[in-house]
Amino acid sequence: VFVRRVTRRDTFLKKLSSRAFTTLYNTLTDFRIDPRISTYSIISRRVADAVRRLSEGNRNYALLLHWVGFEMAYIDGEHAERFAGRSAYSFRKLFAFAIDSITGQSNRPMRLSIQFGFGLSIAAQLYAVWLAVRYFIWGVKVEGWTSAMVAMFFLSGLLFANIGVLGVYLGKVFDESRHRPLYVVKDRLNFDAEASAAAIEPMAVPLVRTAI
């Protein structure tokens, strides 16, 4: 159960940075978060146990609660002003938190890099075709720097795409290194303790060596 702030009593810069982070996060990841939702929540024991089984070091509390997939509810609450002290999160810490949250939850930025790179290369090819049509039909000469710029944009697009492909592969390695479970079990029915322990143990697969 999360608390949804009806009205935020933060400073203008605080609300602006929160809105910017939410927009950037929703664009670059596969999750969708509401800037009105705070991290204050009440969770059950089984939800806490499911989160504790995730052994990764980059741990964003609210995002991990969304990932485990249990049912969520929201309660509207009034957001009070800070009565003492000041936030320990500076702009630098908030920026680092945003980068860690985005890179730790999704490899979508790399997929966007692939799309941008191929789009840039295709645009450069189309512009090169347009220059050729202008030259052969209307006799418009092509300046030397124009062809150089077209080639540069074409190669830059390929570089963006290649970096994106490399990033996707590294993202898959990163996902495997976190050892997240394939699914989270909500309830077990008609299982005793020994059967439950045996059910969650990985099945032993015999190794067979064949000679060709």
Side-chain angles (χ1 to χ4, degrees), residues 84-179:
R86 55 184 304 177
S87 176
Y89 275 94
S90 61
F91 178 79
R92 179 179 299 179
K93 290 183 179 180
L94 289 174
F95 183 78
F97 173 76
I99 296 298
D100 291 339
S101 299
I102 293 173
T103 57
Q105 299 295 326
S106 175
N107 59 1
R108 191 174 182 183
M110 294 296 99
R111 299 198 302 268
L112 293 177
S113 176
I114 295 175
Q115 297 174 7
F116 174 76
F118 279 119
L120 187 62
S121 296
I122 292 174
Q125 293 180 20
L126 293 177
Y127 187 65
V129 172
W130 167 245
L131 292 178
V133 170
R134 291 178 60 193
Y135 177 77
F136 288 107
I137 295 180
W138 295 294
V140 180
K141 295 183 179 181
V142 180
E143 301 293 339
W145 66 269
T146 305
S147 59
M149 292 296 293
V150 170
M152 184 183 70
F153 277 108
F154 176 74
L155 295 177
S156 299
L158 292 182
L159 288 177
F160 268 106
N162 290 332
I163 292 175
V165 171
L166 180 61
V168 169
Y169 278 106
L170 291 177
K172 292 183 179 297
V173 175
F174 172 70
D175 290 338
E176 294 295 332
S177 67
R178 292 187 293 183
H179 302 293

Side-chain angles (χ1 to χ4, degrees), residues 51-88:
V51 173
R52 290 177 61 238
R53 292 191 191 100
L54 304 179
S55 59
E56 59 204 71
N58 185 6
R59 304 179 66 83
N60 185 312
Y61 173 74
L63 301 181
L64 292 181
L65 287 183
H66 282 76
W67 186 89
V68 293
F70 288 92
E71 297 179 2
M72 292 182 293
Y74 305 96
I75 296 178
D76 292 334
E78 291 291 338
H79 184 216
E81 296 182 359
R82 180 183 293 270
F83 65 91
R86 55 184 304 177
S87 176

Side-chain angles (χ1 to χ4, degrees), residues 2-9 36 38 74-80:
F2 283 97
V3 175
R4 181 167 47 206
R5 293 167 290 200
V6 178
T7 55
R8 294 193 61 172
R9 300 186 182 277
R36 297 175 300 170
S38 68
Y74 305 96
I75 296 178
D76 292 334
E78 291 291 338
H79 184 216

